[in-house]
Amino acid sequence: MSRLLLAGLLLAMNVPAWAQEGIALAGVEASRDNRYAYLGTVLPLPGSQLGQGYVQRYWLDYVAYSYEKTPQLEIDTRISGAEAALGYQRSNASGWWGAYLGARYANTRLRPDDPDNDDRGRRLRAKLQFEGETDMTAGWRINGIASHLVGDANYWARLRLQTQLRNRWRVGPEVLVQGDSNYSAYKVGAFVGNIGLGASTALTLKAGVNKSEDDPASAYLGAEFYIPF
């Protein structure tokens, strides 16, 4: 069973225009089988700035999905999570990268209860995350995020290729894999990013196909917001 999209990654970070003070990140995603929402912020530590030095990262998220326990029994799952992490970022004209180490607290509620689910109840675990973006050729860039919960088989990773249109929107395909010891899934889709909303806020829209190992494929839709301050 999955903690879908576990605070993965800074999901809106395919907009690498660094703010001086900090950024807020928010997003939602939904498919037939699951729903996800998050709100986070990244702030520089004293003596650093975003993209150049040490940062602090805070994250809240909520996940809702169902999984099949037996052909006659389906378990509804609700997960509330919170994270705090320290990280280091570097950037230059050709790209950027960041690495984070922190703690994640999650409360997993099951209806009906499933004693075989190791994630049920409250859990506190360490989390590692790495992300980055770099130039390729012919106007394309590659963007990736990967995260892992220490002491658990849980993983989340996403890869995006993007190019910039004349209106400065960024478009391209995305591939995502995720899972744990009991679950695995992948997504294949496309996104349109860097859509300006006001003076500095950027919007990313995404859509594609979600396929888990036990369920038929379904469509997913999502939106991500990048807000510098």
Side-chain angles (χ1 to χ4, degrees):
M1 289 68 67
S2 172
R3 293 175 302 260
L4 297 174
L5 295 177
L6 272 183
L9 25 118
L10 294 171
L11 288 180
M13 269 296 195
N14 65 297
V15 185
W18 302 104
Q20 292 300 310
E21 299 297 331
I23 55 173
L25 303 164
V28 294
E29 184 175 306
S31 70
R32 180 188 61 201
D33 303 316
N34 63 78
R35 300 179 301 279
Y36 175 67
Y38 68 88
L39 176 66
T41 187
V42 183
L43 304 167
L45 291 175
S48 297
Q49 62 180 5
L50 293 185
Q52 301 290 345
Y54 294 96
V55 298
Q56 51 192 322
R57 177 179 177 273
Y58 304 99
W59 200 268
L60 299 173
D61 58 36
Y62 176 78
V63 183
Y65 67 97
S66 299
Y67 64 90
E68 186 179 275
K69 177 67 174 179
T70 70
Q72 296 78 33
L73 179 62
E74 191 169 78
I75 307 295
D76 290 328
T77 306
R78 303 291 184 268
I79 305 171
S80 301
E83 297 182 18
L86 296 177
Y88 185 78
Q89 299 175 339
R90 298 296 294 179
S91 64
N92 54 40
S94 63
W96 57 268
W97 64 268
Y100 306 85
L101 172 62
R104 173 173 174 82
Y105 169 84
N107 183 15
T108 301
R109 302 174 297 281
L110 307 174
R111 184 187 302 175
D113 191 24
D114 180 7
D116 295 328
N117 189 328
D118 294 335
D119 293 324
R120 60 200 283 260
R122 297 174 173 84
R123 295 287 186 272
L124 180 64
R125 294 185 173 100
K127 181 179 177 180
L128 296 170
Q129 181 168 306
F130 180 82
E131 59 195 30
E133 181 177 299
T134 188
D135 285 334
M136 295 179 65
T137 58
W140 286 86
R141 293 169 69 89
I142 184 170
N143 175 292
I145 303 175
S147 66
H148 171 66
L149 293 180
V150 178
D152 189 10
N154 185 284
Y155 62 91
W156 187 97
R158 189 195 68 197
L159 185 68
R160 283 177 170 174
L161 297 178
Q162 65 183 34
T163 189
Q164 184 166 288
L165 305 179
R166 290 185 178 180
N167 61 2
R168 301 187 64 83
W169 288 6
R170 295 170 183 169
V171 301
E174 68 175 11
V175 177
L176 185 147
V177 295
Q178 61 191 78
D180 56 29
S181 57
N182 301 303
Y183 172 94
S184 64
Y186 67 87
K187 296 180 181 180
V188 178
F191 68 93
V192 180
N194 205 29
I195 303 170
L197 299 177
S200 57
T201 300
L203 168 68
T204 295
L205 300 175
K206 55 185 177 178
V209 175
N210 173 49
K211 179 66 175 71
S212 65
E213 58 184 348
D214 298 323
D215 297 312
S218 62
Y220 72 88
L221 297 171
E224 305 165 359
F225 298 89
Y226 173 97
I227 310 166
F229 57 85

